[in-house]
Amino acid sequence: MRYQSTRNGSLTATSLEAVLKGMASDGGLFLPSDIGKANFDWKCTLGADTRSIATSVMSALLPDFENMKELVEKAYLNKFETEDLTPVVKVGNHFVLELFRGPTSAFKDVALSMLPQLICAAKKQTGDTDTTLILTATSGDTGKAALEGFHDISGIRIIVFYPEGAVSAVQRLQMVTQVGDNVRVCAVRGNFDDAQTGVKKAFAVVREKDLLAGRNTSLSSANSINIGRLAPQLTYYFKAYSDLVASGAVAVGETVDFCVPTGNFGDILAGYFAKALGLPVGHLVCASNANNVLWDFLTTGTYNRKRPFLKTTSPSMDILVSSNLERMLFLACGDSEQVAGWMRDLNEKGSYTVTPSVLSKLKETFWAGYASDEAAAASIKKLWNEHNYLCDTHTAVAWNVAEQYQSATGSNRPMVVLSTASPYKFPTSVLSAITDGKNIPADEFEVMEKLTNLTGVPVPNGLSGLNRRPILHTDIIDPSDILDYVLK
Ligand SMILES: *Cc1c(COP(=O)(O)O)cnc(C)c1O
């Protein structure tokens, strides 16, 4: 399978190159040009264990990697709380796919446990002896998961940029206490989009001016613009489906809907790839918080990033420029020139409008909705009171939108709600939701304790005791200084 840039069909790469480079040299994203034609027997995933599913799915998507099985074993062995990595739990009428059982308690662990293996393998296979410098912008969860995956791996250095004041206290402490000789964590004055745009610009300028020439260093990305981040995420769509079949909840071939709390459109795009590989997916429901730019786009066909950036209780979805949508646009229209034009408009004018035929193509698969902080809090409370299930704010957004979807469309297909973070990553919002905001301690670690005492749900290992670890990273810069920081 060949990869190509979303903005230029003649800029091609092997899957090894696509993973190593992170993004194409013209600013586009790498995409397998013929995913629908991949020769993949999705039924081989039924009844298989998670690591076997990961091996077969990633071999299909990243065919140039040798020894995928070994890479998968190394990535996941004994890293997650559960043997099957991503369990499915029945909650009320829906199924909750728990993606937060990894070392940093967010779904990013599924991909970021694997990405270092892919990058090291790609370097070895291509004879690349450069140091790989990973640049990552994070809205809170990617940063820690990437640090956890990449720290102390030889031949790799990593810098994580996070928006100052826009991540939870737990998320911040997870990052600034990170050990490892090859890691740097830096706060950026601004929001996530400022950090992400700064990092993308640094990439572009370094490439354009060859600024790392003679330093035996090349750049890559741990954000979901890297296809090596997306590929591992297909696994849990297949695994969830297999679990539903095994439990008798669906018959083989019956379509299932998935509702995905969405920010950068990476997780939900992995669902689209799974569907393209044959998995019987009905609708992919795109759930946003009050930053509802994707809902707007999927409703009207106009993507407009010129709007206030709102801080919500689901900060990992506080995004106005949703990178992976670019891949979906190409998949919907098949025309790289058109995609390049839309991205130019987005950059220069702040908005673009797709053709009616592209919009209707998107609507065949995607249904979009959004939930306010209040609506998400109400869902947390309801899930706790009615089903004794404690969920985080991002999962609550998805649950809320899944209910909107079912009442708006009357769909009675089985619904899998993706749960992307542990409630203990956002303990203040979660405790406030179930106690109506009464007597919430100011310190997030006291909140955690109160929450676990109240609910009996244990605090994940990686989060307890964080507040007693030494702070190792205190740098803070303006977005315009990201390039200098990287070069230094
Ligand atoms: C990153 C993240 C999301 C959004 O995922 P995308 O792939 O960016 O759409 C949702 N929830 C949580 C908890 C996250 O960390």
Side-chain angles (χ1 to χ4, degrees), residues 7 265 293-294 296-298 300-307 320-330 333 338-355 358-359 362:
R7 299 186 195 176
F265 213 77
V293 62
L294 285 167
D296 242 358
F297 170 68
L298 288 166
T300 64
T302 295
Y303 194 102
N304 186 351
R305 69 171 164 79
K306 292 176 294 180
R307 61 179 75 210
L320 295 181
V321 182
S322 195
S323 301
N324 279 291
L325 186 61
E326 177 171 350
R327 286 193 166 104
M328 194 56 232
L329 293 177
F330 181 84
C333 78
Q338 203 164 36
V339 174
W342 290 329
M343 292 303 115
R344 212 177 306 121
D345 285 350
L346 180 64
N347 206 7
E348 290 165 9
K349 301 181 200 146
S351 71
Y352 62 86
T353 301
V354 299
T355 59
V358 167
L359 182 61
L362 293 172

Side-chain angles (χ1 to χ4, degrees), residues 14-36:
T14 66
S15 54
L16 297 166
E17 292 161 345
V19 166
L20 276 185
K21 289 190 175 142
M23 73 194 282
S25 56
D26 63 346
L29 306 184
F30 284 119
L31 195 65
S33 42
D34 43 9
I35 186 166

Side-chain angles (χ1 to χ4, degrees), residues 274-296:
K275 182 173 175 153
L277 288 180
L279 191 70
V281 175
H283 274 121
L284 290 165
V285 179
C286 175
S288 301
N289 61 26
N291 292 297
N292 56 10
V293 62
L294 285 167
W295 168 78
D296 242 358

